[in-house]
Amino acid sequence: MALSRRTLLLSSAAAGVAGAATTWPLAAAAAPHRGPLRADPFTLGVASGDPEPDGFVIWTRLAPAPVAEDGLGGMPARVVPVEWQLAADERFRKIVRRGVTAARPESAHAVHVELGHLLPGREYFYRFRAEGYVSPVGRTRTAPPLWATGGTLAMAFASCSQYEHGYFTAYRHLAADEPDIVLHLGDYQYEYEAGGYTIPGGNPRDHAGPETVTLANYRQRHAQYKADPDLQAAHAVAPWAVVFDDHEVENNWADEAPEQPDPNFLARRAAAFQAYYENMPLRRTSIPRGIDMQLYRRLHWGRLATFHMLDTRQFRDDQACGDGYKDCADAYDPARSITGERQEKWLLDGFRRSSARWDILGQQVFFGQRDNNSGPQVVTSMDSWDGYAASRDRITRGWVDAGVRNPVVLTGDVHAHWADELKLDYADPTSRTVGTELVCSSITSTGDGADVPSGRHPWAAWNPHLRFYNNQRGYVRTRITPDSLTADFRVLPYVTTPGAPVHTRATFVVEDRVPGLHQTADNPTPSVLAAGALIDTVEQETVRP
């Protein structure tokens, strides 16, 4: 792949290649003294997140032995001082901030440095040092000033990276795009033991350790993922904004209800939340308190875009009618919610207060209706917003009533690319479009997949608002300006072996004040695929393997 000099620098650092960028200035590290650590503790790379106009979070975690069974990464049971530096250039000639923080054993030696009082709209570089070892270099940036209305935002979003199902080549390509911000919409890691979730032909890689249940299990699993050099490259290139879905805990959990009866589920959830915070570049406002974690939040990119990052797991009612695809009356019960009352009020209030050109919902599960039955019954996924139809209606009407200028929903979960137009009345195909949904495929989950030459799913024959579908792995790259949001659906031909190329399968444009999808001329959609021609491509997001 073609990489810029800067991406090569960051990718090499993320892969652990020594170079000028990883040499700590002699003034700060003359004759470095190595402590008891006998190996490089920066095997998990670095990350940054939640950018604001004056700052962001920078992260690392010390783990010389990443997949140690106790989840502690081979670290001694003591506090380790960690130096950090922030610079205006990638070679650290212009250091603007430095300090020392403590990596503590009770937090698996994770480090979160929350920086403020920086200049808005600026690029920065950061790194860490512990007992003579120097970390890879990370690139990050502050958001523009809150009053800024112009400019261009390069944003990428991704989800569903099952380590066992393939190689994280898509993350490496995402890094090469050098986005300004990355949104990860859930299923960052998976809970299964080796062999617990297999793809046809067998998994090319295995999970270390058992199914994740304890804090040690989750710490070990996160470390195994973070040790992947392609994932490290994606973290090193830009700040991330993350939200979890189900597999960060277990498949299809809902609030305090596990998928299957489990008297220890709340302890498992608390352990998963603790490990998630330890391994993500989140602010201290997201530190878990037992089984509770504040994850929904709002990020502003000047007045160009507001990101409403949602949590559709922690506060939802249990899936209706026993989950799965159902024609279920309870799915329309107005008392049921996928966000919970408090988060819903927060979101609707955010719509009313918004002055952004683009209001973007970063969330986990399919928002628009997907009826899989061509007859009179409406058969939909109870794990998606279809299973909480009244909740979806309140949110949709909320942005319509608030006069939100350009509502766009970003979604993960379903292991395929989709693009659809959002309605207030899905029963009437002629009803006006009131928003747009863009759905990213998985990074690896379910393996290689297959191209869909038509770009259409059979269900689109009776769901005409479903405008695009592709069953290859990849991510979505966007370019946001005051006049338009352009989305490139990036795909890889395979992930079960490393080194796949990437290309843009389709490009759609959402124009300012014109909700809906316009496909660019250079990526025309072929004729609609005949119903039934797609075999074995219906995603299994509600079925535990």
Side-chain angles (χ1 to χ4, degrees), residues 298 300 306 308 341-355 359 394-395 398-399 402 404:
R298 198 170 281 122
H300 300 280
T306 293
H308 309 269
E341 182 179 358
R342 188 172 187 177
Q343 184 179 189
E344 181 178 301
K345 182 179 183 299
W346 167 86
L347 181 57
L348 295 177
D349 184 62
F351 291 155
R352 288 188 290 268
R353 295 173 180 270
S354 178
S355 60
D359 278 271
R394 289 192 296 269
I395 297 302
W399 77 55
V404 168

Side-chain angles (χ1 to χ4, degrees), residues 59-256:
W59 170 96
T60 194
R61 179 183 160 201
L62 307 182
V67 294
E69 290 185 1
D70 63 3
L72 298 179
M75 287 293 293
R78 63 175 177 83
V79 174
V80 176
V82 178
E83 300 171 74
W84 55 267
Q85 290 181 335
L86 186 74
D89 68 303
E90 60 263 44
R91 296 192 178 276
F92 289 80
R93 295 189 180 100
K94 301 176 182 177
I95 295 174
V96 297
R97 197 77 61 81
R98 69 176 76 211
V100 180
T101 190
R104 301 181 182 278
E106 59 267 30
S107 299
H109 292 94
V111 169
H112 296 76
V113 179
E114 204 162 315
L115 294 168
H117 306 291
L118 300 172
L119 296 174
R122 300 297 179 92
E123 181 180 68
Y124 291 96
F125 297 84
Y126 61 96
R127 60 183 178 180
F128 301 89
R129 188 177 71 154
E131 297 186 358
Y133 294 97
V134 181
S135 79
V137 173
R139 167 186 177 252
T140 190
R141 66 186 313 114
T142 50
L146 292 175
W147 48 261
T149 58
T152 299
L153 169 61
M155 180 270 293
F157 64 100
S159 73
C160 301
S161 46
Q162 218 288 26
Y163 182 91
E164 299 178 294
H165 288 181
Y167 293 87
F168 290 165
T169 314
Y171 279 138
R172 176 72 59 167
H173 287 295
L174 185 155
D177 290 337
E178 296 190 2
D180 298 318
I181 187 171
V182 176
L183 273 55
H184 199 286
L185 303 180
D187 294 346
Y188 182 94
Q189 60 99 51
Y190 281 66
E191 75 273 27
Y192 305 104
E193 65 180 343
Y197 182 7
T198 59
I199 57 176
N203 294 340
R205 306 197 286 185
D206 286 330
H207 280 150
E211 177 162 338
T212 52
V213 175
T214 67
L215 180 56
N217 297 157
Y218 284 108
R219 284 170 167 172
Q220 179 191 39
R221 186 62 49 80
H222 274 283
Q224 184 178 22
Y225 278 59
K226 276 289 201 311
D228 185 278
D230 293 336
L231 176 54
Q232 288 189 24
H235 271 299
V237 81
W240 285 37
V242 300
V243 286
F244 53 59
D245 191 21
D246 53 339
H247 290 290
E248 287 86 351
V249 181
E250 72 148 3
N251 186 60
N252 282 20
W253 65 281
D255 194 3
E256 297 186 8

Side-chain angles (χ1 to χ4, degrees), residues 252-254 312-313 316-333 336-338 365-366 368-372 377-389 392 413-414 459 539 541-543:
N252 282 20
W253 65 281
T312 62
R313 285 289 163 192
R316 66 158 67 188
D317 290 290
D318 199 3
Q319 290 90 345
C321 295
D323 210 345
Y325 273 80
K326 302 287 177 60
D327 179 12
C328 176
D330 286 349
Y332 301 91
D333 182 350
R336 288 172 44 78
S337 174
I338 196 171
V365 294
F366 213 99
Q369 181 173 288
R370 288 184 306 159
D371 178 8
N372 78 356
Q377 288 185 311
V378 177
V379 181
T380 58
S381 169
M382 297 298 98
D383 190 54
S384 71
W385 288 78
D386 276 329
Y388 306 82
R392 175 177 61 200
D413 183 57
V414 294
W459 300 350
E539 63 282 350
E541 73 271 22
T542 61
V543 179

